[in-house]
Amino acid sequence: MMAAAQTGHGVPPPSLSAGVVGSFAYFTVKDRLPTILTKVIDTIHRNKNKFFEEFGEEGVLAEKKTISFLSKLRNELQTDKVVLPLSDGFGDADSWNQYLQRQQRLQGDHESVSWFKSPWLYMECYMYRRIQEALWFNPPISDFDVFNEGKTQSFFESQQAVMALCTHLEGINKNVEQLSQNELAEHFNKLLRVSLWGNKCDLSISAGRENSQKASPLDSLSSLQPFILVDDANMVWSTLLSAQKPGPSGTTTPGRVDIVLDNAGFELVTDLVLADFLVSSGLACEIHFHGKCSPWFVSDVTAQDFQWTIQQSVRANHKWMSKCGNQWQTYLKEGVWSYHDHPFWTLPNEFCDMAADAPELYATLQRADLVLFKGDLNYRKLTGDREWDHTVGFGTALQGFRPAPLCSLRTLKANIQVGLQPGQGERLSSQEQDWMTSGKYGVIQFYSPHSEH
Ligand code: F6P
Ligand code: MG
């Protein structure tokens, strides 16, 4: 089954109810996106004094102009206006405008590309890019991150959980060299799951409302196990082991792991802890993190969030948290860890476009022994956000995207899930209408180009 439609394509009939594939996307564009835009406008307005202190009258003028641009954008969105080409001339503007033309060709000349008549994935990404355009048009406040407050708040509200996690990591690292392979596998399994469930804490699904991790995530792992619908953790483990290459005098050199990050706050800490363990245990010798070039989907990690999180950990008044922060800084200084961003991650394109549209990024991922894709949006882009049958294989849904062995760690927040057992999706649908969107279920879903899976 190849010709699945993208979710939210075409105007849904008014009779469609929430929870039916296609209608969710429609309601999200209509209801959730304006809520996010309203919050963005409010945030900019609340920071008026800060802009005045930093830039004087020029800052206040920029605040007014940005708000007027965003209010116009909200109106375009709510009244199903046509999608406008970007005019800010920034590096990725041409790619966006080409995408619009491509979408127009797909929809045919009789129908303009507009907010309610276009795929959800495209419209959601487009809104975040237009928010950026509003700021870029208005120096001196162009660098203001409208989502920064929410991201830092979510980090501080998760402090107890972060400390518990850092303490747990210290417990492993203090005698990591003495651990047997079975013990390492057990720790790996736990930290992989912590990183999976960390993805519950994004601010986009809650339209920016507080959504942090309060309790220690380690305590709930076994009770959460039944909610993992696809669990390929063993294959991820085997991939790490087989990436070990023979080194000099009987030693082995471990491989490289790339982590395509999702959210800042608690989720990012779970990713850093997993990455720390991969290096300290000798399962990987290099970690490449990939983040976003600009604020994105409310809580996604930018370079600034990445640095800030590590600095906050260094400064924490907690022995093991600050020890972790120092170690992470050292890894970055020594090049064992590196942070990268690429404009492709903030385009609306599905990942099967990457080889053609961002060949250098594709080539970078090809050098990894394993690529971990965090979160829901990455899953939507991996699978093209199509209405696939639930039993379609993950490899099929990737549509030729196969840079390296890869694994999606994702909690389900959008109407798409592939690679299930026959009947599994139907059973879930009969029990819980919103199983694909509530964030309650998760997957550890693996694919290797070396062994068709
Ligand atoms: O559910 C709303 C939404 O914005 C989805 O479009 C998106 O996939 C998700 O939230 C973001 O989740 P994540 O941070 O896990 O990618
Ligand atoms: Mg996100």
Side-chain angles (χ1 to χ4, degrees), residues 378-392:
N378 277 328
Y379 193 83
R380 291 172 64 197
K381 289 185 164 190
L382 282 165
T383 55
D385 212 29
R386 313 263 145 177
E387 293 172 353
W388 298 106
D389 214 273
H390 295 312
T391 51
V392 161

Side-chain angles (χ1 to χ4, degrees), residues 196-209:
L196 160 67
W197 295 119
N199 180 244
K200 267 180 188 269
C201 306
D202 85 280
L203 296 172
S204 170
I205 196 169
S206 59
R209 281 191 319 279

